[in-house]
Amino acid sequence: MTSLPLIPVDPDAPGARRASMPPQHLADLDLAGRKALVTGLGEPAFRARQISTHYFGRLVRDPEQMTDLPAASRARLADQLLPRLLNPVRELACDDGATRKALWRLHDGALVESVLMGYPDRVTVCISSQAGCGMACPFCATGQAGLTRNLSTAEIVDQAVYLAGVAASGAVVGSPARLSHVVFMGMGEPLANYNRVVAAIRRLVAPAPEGLGLSQRHITVSTVGLVPAIHRLASEDLSVTLALSLHAPDDELRDELVPVNQRWKVSEVLDAAWAYAARTGRRVSIEYAMIKDVNDQPWRADLLGRLLAGKLAHVNLIPLNPTPGSRWDASPKPVEREFVRRLRDAGVSTTVRDTRGREIDGACGQLAAAEDMGTDPAGNLSA
C-alpha cells in the first residue's frame, strides 16, 4: 500500500498561506449585516431588503434589472453588495439537457465547477466549496488536482442562485421550475472550509429575502471524515444530511483510498457519524465508490454490513466514474449486484446511485475544472 501525505485540512488555520479572497458580497452577510452596510453608504436600510429580494427572491443577479432602485444609487449599491464573483467560462449539457455542468473563473483566476441535475420531481444542484481539494483521494479527479483555496460564503451561494435561475427559466424540461435540493458534493472537502460552508447553508435555508428558502432536510453535506468537524456540525442545530465518503470498511484499504483515514480511522469516523445521527435524527448516507478488484470483494460487503447493521444509515453505492490517467475501473454489474445483496441481507438499506453527467465529466469524482473541455454542445454561459 502507498502511504499518501496528508495535506492540512484547514487552509485558514493560523500560519497557513492566505489565498486571495473575493470582495464582500451580500450573500456573505445576514440581512442585519446588509442593512448596516447600506446605511453606512448613506442609503435607507430598506434598500438592503430590496436588493436582497431581487437576488434571493427573484434570482436576479444583474443590478441593471433592479429598476426599483434609484439609478443614482444602483451602481454604488451593486459595487458594494453585488460584485461579480463567478465569471462564466463554459456550460456543457447532457441527458437531453437535464444535466448541466457550469465552469466558472473566480476573481483570482481559480476555476470551479457546479452541476445542475433535473429529475421529474426535483431539481438538485451540486456545488463546490473549494477550488480544488486537498484530500488527495487517488480515484478522484478533483483530489488529484490539489487545493487552490477555500471559496467564500458568497462564492458558494452564488453557484446555487445562478443555477436556481436556470431552473426557474424552464430550461430543464421535464423538471420543476424551482431548485429544491443542494448537495455539497462538488469540488473540495466542505468541512475543511467549515465556517464558510455553514454560513452558506444558513443563507440557503433562510427565507427570502434573507436567503434562498430551501428546506434544511434537502441539503446534503459530504465529507471524507473530518471527525472534529463532524462533531462540530452536529452542534449547529441544523437538520442537513451528512454524507460520509467511506469507500472501504477496513483501515488498510481506506488508508490508501481516503488518505485522511491515516489520521482518523474507520471506527472513529463511524462513531462521529452515529453521534451526528443521534443528535439530529437524520440518517447518514454512506458513500461507497465501487472499484473493480479493489473494494468490491464479498468479504468487504459483509464487513460493511456488520459495521452498519442496526444503525441510522443508508449505503449509496457509486459506480466508479472514469477519470484521466486512472488505473482503476468500475466494478462489473454482477459484482455490484452481489455487493448490494449482501448488504441488504445484513439489514442495511442500499441503493446504487443513478450516474448522471459522465459524458461531460460532471459525475461524482470527475470534477477537475479543466478549461479546455472540448466541444461545447450547450453554448457559452450568460451570467
Side-chain angles (χ1 to χ4, degrees), residues 26 29-38 48 52 56 203 209-210:
L26 71 84
L29 306 168
D30 59 16
L31 192 56
R34 295 169 213 163
K35 289 179 178 179
L37 191 153
V38 164
S52 297
F56 282 116
R203 301 292 176 275
E210 175 102 21

Side-chain angles (χ1 to χ4, degrees), residues 165-182:
V166 172
S169 74
V172 188
V173 178
S175 297
R178 185 179 186 276
L179 172 66
S180 56
H181 292 67
V182 172

Side-chain angles (χ1 to χ4, degrees), residues 105-156:
R105 187 185 303 281
L106 308 182
H107 79 105
D108 56 355
L111 296 170
V112 297
E113 292 177 328
S114 40
V115 182
L116 179 149
M117 295 164 286
Y119 301 90
D121 62 339
R122 68 191 188 281
V123 174
T124 298
V125 296
C126 175
I127 57 177
S128 296
S129 54
Q130 296 178 312
C133 182
M135 298 297 104
C137 299
F139 57 90
C140 175
T142 314
Q144 292 308 291
L147 177 65
T148 300
R149 68 167 172 88
N150 284 332
L151 300 190
S152 70
T153 297
E155 285 174 322
I156 297 169

Side-chain angles (χ1 to χ4, degrees), residues 15 83 107 162 177 185 209 244 275 278 296 315:
H107 79 105
Y162 173 85
M185 293 183 175
L244 174 60
D296 60 357
V315 174

Side-chain angles (χ1 to χ4, degrees), residues 190-255:
L191 298 189
N193 188 13
Y194 186 90
N195 290 335
R196 297 186 185 97
V197 164
V198 169
I201 292 170
R202 297 197 187 283
R203 301 292 176 275
L204 293 174
V205 303
E210 175 102 21
L212 205 51
L214 302 181
S215 167
Q216 291 188 26
R217 300 173 73 86
H218 290 171
I219 306 290
T220 298
V221 178
S222 177
T223 180
V224 295
L226 307 189
V227 168
I230 294 172
H231 287 301
R232 187 177 174 192
L233 185 64
S235 68
E236 293 285 353
D237 195 28
L238 292 169
S239 298
V240 300
T241 297
L242 179 71
L244 174 60
S245 296
L246 193 65
H247 305 308
D250 55 301
D251 287 323
E252 181 179 8
L253 179 58
R254 195 168 192 266
D255 280 351

Side-chain angles (χ1 to χ4, degrees), residues 292-336:
K292 181 181 178 181
D293 298 330
V294 175
N295 67 348
D296 60 357
Q297 299 86 354
W299 72 265
R300 283 197 162 96
D302 293 340
L303 175 56
L304 183 61
R306 291 195 297 272
L307 291 174
L308 305 185
K311 301 297 185 182
L312 193 60
H314 172 87
V315 174
N316 192 9
L317 294 181
I318 308 166
L320 185 72
N321 293 301
T323 57
S326 174
R327 69 183 189 273
W328 291 322
D329 199 357
S331 301
K333 286 301 177 182
V335 173
E336 179 185 281

